[in-house]
Amino acid sequence: IAGITQAPTSQILAAGRRMTLRCTQDMRHNAMYWYRQDLGLGLRLIHYSNTAGTTGKGEVPDGYSVSRANTDDFPLTLASAVPSQTSVYFCASSDGQHNSPLHFGNGTRLTVT
Amino acid sequence: GQNIDQPTEMTATEGAIVQINCTYQTSGFNGLFWYQQHAGEAPTFLSYNVLDGLEEKGRFSSFLSRSKGYSYLLLKELQMKDSASYLCAVLDSNYQLIWGAGTKLIIKP
């Protein structure tokens, strides 16, 4: 079934640890995004990639890094997790056209203790 | 600053009609999206409006007034499965998506 796969589904992480959230899509979409969703707030963009080999910073990039070595994969790394990074993380993709909808993965629920 | 306003929560009765409003103040406008998000799940696309007027898609319709910075999502013949959060998002002049916090819709039998 075509779509976006995120892993892990959930994770409890000690502060200071490094963590990579995985995201893979099989729709051959050019654009991919990482959002975090916190209660009472809209989705906030962390990083994005318009095409393989390029990445850009979103609204809340500090403490996070991404890479886009190929079309399908877009991992998000927390170099040294802090409690404020406790959130639900969604990966999304689109064909890159501005009026095209985003396709979201099922999310990763991350708790930093 | 850029801002999207939606009611935090609404309650409606099964079989009825509900209108979820979204007002926005953004730097430019290049379209407005509505997404549905069931609890614990991913957002899924419902509609996209870029011109003024009403777009109908089955039981769901979306309306846009660019001059008023206003949109609404209209859900007819409500079903229990429509219990979800509804997210409004606007594409600004830089084609960045600005998201509202979402409206949690509770459907009662």
Side-chain angles (χ1 to χ4, degrees):
Chain A
I1 298 175
I4 297 185
T5 302
Q6 290 186 237
T9 303
S10 65
Q11 182 75 44
I12 299 174
L13 187 68
R17 297 298 295 268
R18 181 184 178 89
M19 173 78 189
T20 295
L21 309 185
R22 300 185 298 279
C23 175
T24 300
Q25 54 106 355
D26 61 4
M27 296 175 283
R28 308 304 295 171
H29 281 167
N30 285 323
M32 296 188 74
Y33 311 85
W34 274 105
Y35 285 94
R36 60 178 290 173
Q37 187 174 43
D38 301 290
L39 198 63
L41 298 177
L43 287 164
R44 292 184 291 169
L45 183 65
I46 304 170
H47 284 286
Y48 65 92
S49 170
N50 288 328
T51 190
T54 69
T55 63
K57 294 182 179 180
E59 179 186 357
V60 289
D62 293 344
Y64 306 94
S65 64
V66 292
S67 61
R68 187 88 184 277
N70 56 60
T71 298
D72 298 344
D73 301 302
F74 191 44
L76 176 74
T77 297
L78 289 68
S80 178
V82 295
S84 62
Q85 292 177 311
T86 293
S87 187
V88 180
Y89 291 86
F90 285 102
C91 180
S93 72
S94 78
D95 63 12
Q97 300 298 314
H98 294 302
N99 61 349
S100 293
L102 297 180
H103 298 260
F104 286 87
N106 285 328
T108 294
R109 184 174 296 275
L110 181 67
T111 302
V112 182
T113 62
Chain B
Q2 307 205 87
N3 194 49
I4 310 284
D5 287 316
Q6 306 179 234
T8 302
E9 187 174 296
M10 299 181 70
T11 302
T13 303
E14 189 177 16
I17 299 173
V18 70
Q19 177 175 311
I20 302 174
N21 295 326
C22 170
T23 58
Y24 60 90
Q25 301 90 37
T26 57
S27 57
F29 177 85
N30 281 300
L32 184 145
F33 293 86
W34 283 97
Y35 285 79
Q36 180 189 60
Q37 185 178 24
H38 286 101
E41 298 184 8
T44 56
F45 169 75
L46 288 177
S47 66
Y48 170 74
N49 294 67
V50 67
L51 299 176
D52 289 351
L54 187 68
E55 297 266 351
E56 297 187 71
K57 195 183 293 185
R59 294 189 299 114
F60 291 12
S61 302
S62 56
F63 172 83
L64 175 67
S65 169
R66 288 172 296 172
S67 62
K68 295 182 179 178
Y70 168 69
S71 173
Y72 67 72
L73 183 68
L74 191 71
L75 290 71
K76 302 176 185 176
E77 301 168 17
L78 285 170
Q79 301 175 11
M80 297 303 294
K81 68 179 182 179
D82 297 329
S83 291
S85 289
Y86 292 85
L87 314 181
C88 174
V90 172
L91 264 176
D92 70 9
S93 58
N94 295 319
Y95 294 98
Q96 300 297 311
L97 262 181
I98 312 300
W99 293 84
T103 298
K104 182 178 181 179
L105 178 63
I106 299 168
I107 310 297
K108 296 187 174 179

